[in-house]
Amino acid sequence: MIDVVGIITADFLNIILITLGGILISMGVHLIPVGGAPAAMAQATGVGTGTVQLAAGAGLTGLVTAGFMMNVTDSMALILASGTVGAMIMISVTMLVGQWIYVYGVGCPAASAKVKYDPITKDRQDLYVSQGTEGHGIPTASFISGVIGAALGGLGGSLIYYALLSIENGLPEADFVGIASIFAIGLFFVNAVIPSYNIGGTIEGFHDPKFKRFPKAVIASFVATFLAAIMGVVAIGGM
């Protein structure tokens, strides 16, 4: 018999860390500029793909870099920092290459239809928005917002991974790492999907009016991640 109460009590700190990681991921998703299919045709601001794909791409890169760092050091700070930086680099490169395609391939300037002036550069936006579109490209504010969002996502993902690998169990190391990785990836997708329903299609970043909805997603992610954390800790700790 698995001592469920004993496992939860012994690993309650890990449950809290996993839940915190899920909340960070949820917040980070709201900051990443997602344009979806309209952005793929330069009809909306942001990267031309879905919320889950962008968030998961950044987060999984963070998990890979965090996992590599765990082979080198046991320092929690370095592991979390590597996951954070890895996700930031990934989303930055994605947005930069997308920007090149929009500007030099499609021939449209980076402009937002959500604000009259860019919150960072104070450059006028509405004069450069093509008629019938919701903006195009990735303005400075959206780029910076995406980098911050990726940082939160990478930090959250690496925090979940670190907490899972801190659970006491009797598994061989290879099996333990594999199971922890699968569970961390699953949790990342859960916390990437919840905000996508909240966003409802596209979002430009912290200056988008939809960003104000993030508290609802954070609450939903807290509940979902906390329950999943309990199940994961009990499952892994009971092996």
Side-chain angles (χ1 to χ4, degrees), residues 1-53:
M1 291 292 292
I2 299 175
D3 183 10
V4 176
V5 176
I7 293 174
I8 293 175
T9 303
D11 289 301
F12 190 73
L13 177 59
N14 291 325
I15 293 174
I16 296 299
L17 292 177
I18 293 170
T19 304
L20 177 60
I23 292 173
L24 289 172
I25 294 169
S26 180
M27 292 178 63
V29 172
H30 286 79
L31 290 164
I32 298 176
V34 178
M41 299 179 288
Q43 301 290 308
T45 303
V47 181
T49 187
T51 308
V52 177
Q53 289 86 344

Side-chain angles (χ1 to χ4, degrees), residues 84-235:
T84 302
V85 174
M88 291 169 70
I89 292 174
M90 183 274 176
I91 201 69
S92 297
V93 171
T94 301
M95 291 188 293
L96 183 61
V97 173
Q99 187 81 306
W100 288 344
I101 294 172
Y102 289 128
V103 175
Y104 299 111
V106 181
C108 61
S112 169
K114 301 293 185 182
V115 291
K116 189 173 183 178
Y117 295 94
D118 188 295
I120 304 297
T121 64
K122 307 302 179 184
D123 291 334
R124 188 78 177 262
Q125 300 292 298
D126 57 329
L127 297 178
Y128 303 97
V129 176
S130 302
Q131 188 174 3
T133 70
E134 296 182 8
H136 27 65
I138 305 168
T140 303
S142 296
F143 189 95
I144 293 175
S145 179
V147 173
I148 297 172
L152 292 176
L155 177 62
S158 53
L159 186 61
I160 290 173
Y161 187 60
Y162 179 84
L164 288 171
L165 288 180
S166 300
I167 300 172
E168 294 291 336
N169 63 85
L171 288 171
E173 184 178 356
D175 294 341
F176 183 26
V177 171
I179 292 174
S181 300
I182 292 171
F183 190 79
I185 292 170
L187 268 178
F188 203 99
F189 275 109
V190 168
N191 287 290
V193 169
I194 290 174
S196 69
Y197 284 104
N198 198 35
I199 292 168
T202 64
I203 188 169
E204 292 188 4
F206 56 72
H207 59 284
D208 194 304
K210 290 182 180 179
F211 180 70
K212 297 177 182 178
R213 303 176 184 174
F214 85 88
K216 296 180 181 178
V218 167
I219 294 172
S221 291
F222 169 78
V223 175
T225 310
F226 185 72
L227 295 176
I230 292 175
M231 291 187 289
V233 165
V234 171

